[in-house]
Amino acid sequence: MIKLFEDYSLKNHNSFKIDVKARYFAEADTITDLIHFVKHKPLTQLPLIILGEGSNVLFKSDYNGVIIHPIIRGIEVIHEDGKHVIVKAGAGENWDAFVEWAINRHYGGIENLSLIPGSVGACPVQNIGAYGVEVSEVIESVETIDMTDGELKLYSKPECNFGYRTSIFKNELKGDKIITSVLFRLSRSPVLKTDYGEIRKKLKKYKDFDIRTLRTVIMEIRQEKLPDPAQIGNAGSFFKNPVITDEEFKKLVRIYPEIPGHPSDTPGQWKIPAAWLIEKCGWKDRCIGEAGTWSRQPLVLVNYGNSTGKQILELAESITRDVSEKFSIQLEKEVNVI
Ligand code: EPU
């Protein structure tokens, strides 16, 4: 069934907890309803966007359009062999509840992505990643509905054009598709990824460990370092980690010998932690009004109470300007501004 609300508060639908309204808010829990809504466009003159759990968006003002909020549920194993299982999860499932579901069945591959806020449907859009794993490594395909004609289309993994925090759904197809479910290939004999420094350190206290242990440890690391969106409004990393060339990196090392950098997936390029650049510019644990950077991870911008979206954006722009002036590096937003 489609539930349609008018002048609807979005405060509980965005993890920044920005108090804005949508002209219309349409909630749909079946694919048939979504197709019907898209084909008949009852409010056709207005712009349309799709919103999952709102954990990667910043609303800078009221939205004078229609927000479609798909809440398609269900997790099922659709194929299995000795080594793998193919699991189909509805876009409206909570991401971390899905990780927990997989771990309870000893299906591995997503344990490093524990506690990332958001829905299953949002995970392929920005190709969520943490602690050495990106979700694209386990995505088999993505099921979608076209926003224009309601046609169903399945995107295979190569068709999704996954990259660092990006995919076809964030670029060429931005705003064109509603993701209804995601198919994952999970492993029945997972290889644990423990390379990330802090993980290894934490695992030392365990004699044996498995995907459950890894989940526990990663949840600990995240809880120590990142603000819980249920307590303090935030959308995780606000910026991407910038990628620069070998030459640019060498130039910076001469001035800042301590600058951290990791070789990127593309040869000849380096990924620099935006958190370091932001801290070096003096922006760690600082506020503009009630918008601030998080004390333990300045890559995360937070709403300490009643910040508006515009104030968060002003803070982001000040940080971007300072990083650009000091390092000649242009920070790119990871969060979608609406
Ligand atoms: N750093 C500082 N100061 C700080 C914190 C970090 O200088 O206060 C520097 C340090 O050099 C540190 C480096 O930043 O070694 C990396 O920090 P961290 O391990 O926290 O990772 P990140 O690169 O800042 C990325 C993701 C996070 C993900 C972590 C862990 C992006 C944009 N962010 O952050 O993802 O949890 O790695 O894998 O790639 C998210 O997307 O919302 C998110 C939180």
Side-chain angles (χ1 to χ4, degrees), residues 35-251:
I35 295 176
H36 183 85
F37 190 82
V38 167
K39 279 195 171 159
H40 294 85
K41 297 195 181 59
L43 306 155
T44 186
Q45 73 285 12
L46 293 171
L48 283 177
I49 53 164
I50 310 140
L51 187 69
E53 289 184 22
S55 21
N56 205 40
V57 294
L58 176 66
F59 286 100
K60 54 179 178 185
S61 54
D62 288 342
Y63 185 69
N64 186 23
V66 188
I67 289 187
I68 301 179
H69 180 48
I71 43 172
I72 294 163
R73 304 247 189 257
I75 304 177
E76 54 174 332
V77 173
I78 58 170
H79 178 78
E80 53 188 311
D81 58 33
K83 284 186 178 160
H84 292 101
V85 283
I86 306 290
V87 180
K88 179 174 173 175
E93 290 290 336
N94 170 265
W95 171 258
D96 193 58
F98 175 56
V99 177
E100 177 68 23
W101 179 96
I103 282 170
N104 286 339
R105 286 158 185 79
H106 310 288
Y107 300 154
I110 49 176
E111 53 283 354
N112 290 42
L113 306 178
S114 287
L115 219 58
I116 293 187
S119 60
V120 164
C123 82
V125 178
Q126 58 145 346
N127 184 16
I128 58 173
Y131 308 105
V133 174
E134 282 187 342
V135 77
S136 56
E137 293 166 36
V138 293
I139 286 182
E140 184 77 359
S141 56
V142 177
E143 282 188 1
T144 66
I145 294 173
D146 192 275
M147 289 278 269
T148 320
D149 56 17
E151 286 301 305
L152 288 161
K153 180 166 160 64
L154 186 72
Y155 284 84
S156 67
K157 174 176 165 165
E159 285 174 318
C160 293
N161 282 351
F162 287 120
Y164 168 58
R165 291 298 194 277
T166 193
S167 72
I168 194 164
F169 307 108
K170 208 174 169 180
N171 294 296
E172 296 94 313
L173 296 180
K174 190 171 180 173
D176 293 353
K177 302 283 171 186
I178 303 175
I179 293 172
T180 53
S181 57
V182 182
L183 277 77
F184 300 89
R185 174 186 288 266
L186 302 179
S187 172
R188 306 183 79 142
S189 43
V191 179
L192 304 184
K193 296 210 176 149
T194 58
D195 281 350
Y196 219 80
E198 285 160 289
I199 297 182
R200 256 183 271 132
K201 225 187 296 161
K202 291 245 180 209
L203 281 176
K204 277 191 187 139
K205 65 176 179 210
Y206 297 92
K207 236 184 24 224
D208 296 312
F209 45 82
D210 59 5
I211 53 174
R212 165 70 62 196
T213 332
L214 210 45
R215 172 166 167 79
T216 307
V217 157
I218 283 164
M219 288 171 82
E220 265 175 46
I221 299 173
R222 289 186 74 94
Q223 281 160 345
E224 279 164 16
K225 216 159 60 170
L226 301 168
D228 175 2
Q231 316 284 335
I232 295 177
N234 78 89
S237 302
F238 194 88
F239 302 100
K240 291 189 194 180
N241 284 328
V243 175
I244 61 174
T245 63
D246 244 340
E247 217 174 293
E248 288 165 328
F249 185 55
K250 276 187 197 136
K251 239 195 249 171

